[in-house]
Amino acid sequence: MNSKVVLITGTNSGFGYVTVKTLAALGHRVYATMRDIQGRNADQANELSAIPNVSVLEVNLTDDNSVNNAIDTVIAKESTIDILINNAGFSMVGFAESFTVTDVQELFDINVIAPWRLIKAILPAMRNQADGLIINITSGFGRFSSPFSTIYSATKFGLEGISEGLHYELRPLGVDVAIVEPGPFPTGMMNNIRYGSDQSVTPAYEYFAELPNKVGAAIGNLLQTVQPDPQEVADAINNLINLSKGQRPLRTVVDRATGEFVKAANDAVQVQYEKGLRAFGMGDLLISQ
């Protein structure tokens, strides 16, 4: 295996934290980004920094200068960035009507615009070397919009849309784009879920008063029954890295709880999607996967 230079976001917990450790142990040079490395994330930053092959960078993903400075730092040291993993994200739940415009903007800023900011900044280097891999972490909710996670689902739909178009645009230039769709996992994101800010609408949804408890119990039962391990996502990322350039699948589902219907939807849509590309004169962008 050739050692790669990897930049990954959202590494203070969950999938990002495990993936940093996994890839570094395999010999990749990993640049782990997070916020507030001198404050609330100091312990995580110090632990990761102590691992061979890992460098921790303070990055504010909603700030152009912060992102560009981080990328310039890595390229100045390594002369390249081979792999970008857009893992950072957060969730809000609740009745869609309870989301203010500010709530929606905040979700899209982190879950859609921030990954695009990194992709846009990194692409020139990847194109110039005619080589690179971009992995975007979405969700099964990027394929199906779930009630009470409507706006969160919309952000994952957005990142999937960016990824799907880029998958075909960039592959002829030597750059692969892939999506990893995790299901429910016991990660830090689940412990930091926020709710829509406009709770004044809650009485209008009295019919659903017991649903949040039912949903929470159902998810808890799923996690207890299936016992998914975030390492599964890190392993899926590593598998994508190890596949041959140009042969990486667009979507990889990592979900032992509900992944069968997500994968079935992906497979069915892919058949029709490829028919659509051919109908619009873009069949040359397709290769067997």
Side-chain angles (χ1 to χ4, degrees):
M1 181 201 69
N2 294 326
S3 175
K4 301 292 186 182
V5 177
V6 182
L7 179 66
I8 177 170
T9 67
T11 59
N12 60 304
S13 65
F15 303 140
Y17 193 71
V18 175
T19 301
V20 169
K21 292 183 174 183
T22 299
L23 297 184
L26 292 169
H28 298 296
R29 302 188 300 284
V30 183
Y31 288 81
T33 77
M34 64 180 77
R35 296 186 66 176
D36 203 13
I37 63 177
Q38 302 297 326
R40 62 185 174 88
N41 290 323
D43 290 343
Q44 296 92 323
N46 291 335
E47 182 178 345
L48 291 180
S49 295
I51 298 173
N53 299 322
V54 175
S55 300
V56 175
L57 299 175
E58 169 113 25
V59 180
N60 178 355
L61 298 177
T62 65
D63 181 83
D64 287 345
N65 289 332
S66 181
V67 167
N68 290 332
N69 288 340
I71 291 171
D72 289 345
T73 296
V74 177
I75 292 178
K77 184 174 180 180
E78 303 284 355
S79 301
T80 185
I81 295 176
D82 299 304
I83 301 167
L84 167 65
I85 303 171
N86 278 311
N87 168 72
F90 82 103
S91 177
M92 285 187 184
V93 298
F95 310 117
E97 191 182 348
S98 71
F99 284 69
T100 64
V101 170
T102 299
D103 290 338
V104 175
Q105 287 176 330
E106 186 177 4
L107 265 173
F108 271 85
D109 276 347
I110 294 296
N111 292 354
V112 182
I113 296 173
W116 176 248
R117 180 177 284 111
L118 281 147
I119 292 168
K120 176 72 172 172
I122 260 172
L123 269 181
M126 289 187 171
R127 282 191 294 99
N128 287 339
Q129 65 194 20
D131 189 52
L133 171 60
I134 297 168
I135 299 175
N136 293 325
I137 311 301
T138 63
S139 169
F141 284 175
R143 176 58 82 186
F144 301 96
S145 183
S146 170
F148 316 113
S149 292
T150 303
I151 307 302
Y152 173 73
S153 295
T155 66
K156 293 304 182 179
F157 269 66
L159 186 53
E160 292 242 344
I162 289 171
S163 305
E164 188 162 40
L166 285 178
H167 176 80
Y168 296 99
E169 287 185 23
L170 296 178
R171 189 165 55 189
L173 305 181
V175 180
D176 281 349
V177 178
I179 298 166
V180 173
E181 296 175 328
F185 280 84
T187 66
M189 177 180 283
M190 293 196 67
N191 297 325
N192 294 298
I193 291 175
R194 289 166 48 191
Y195 295 87
S197 298
D198 183 7
Q199 292 300 307
S200 68
V201 307
T202 300
Y205 292 86
E206 185 177 359
Y207 174 81
F208 299 108
E210 293 303 314
L211 261 181
N213 292 332
K214 290 180 180 179
V215 172
I219 292 174
N221 288 336
L222 270 177
L223 293 178
Q224 186 173 11
T225 300
V226 179
Q227 296 186 347
D229 184 344
Q231 183 64 47
E232 297 168 29
V233 174
D235 291 342
I237 290 170
N238 183 53
N239 288 340
L240 285 170
I241 292 172
N242 290 334
L243 290 175
S244 299
K245 182 168 71 171
Q247 298 297 320
R248 295 175 174 109
L250 171 59
R251 289 180 170 90
T252 298
V253 178
V254 188
D255 182 358
R256 288 189 282 123
T258 56
E260 286 188 11
F261 71 81
V262 176
K263 188 177 186 304
N266 289 345
D267 292 344
V269 169
Q270 186 65 28
V271 171
Q272 302 305 320
Y273 184 89
E274 292 187 7
K275 289 180 180 178
L277 287 186
R278 292 188 183 96
F280 286 99
M282 292 181 282
D284 289 347
L285 296 178
L286 298 171
I287 63 170
S288 59
Q289 296 186 11

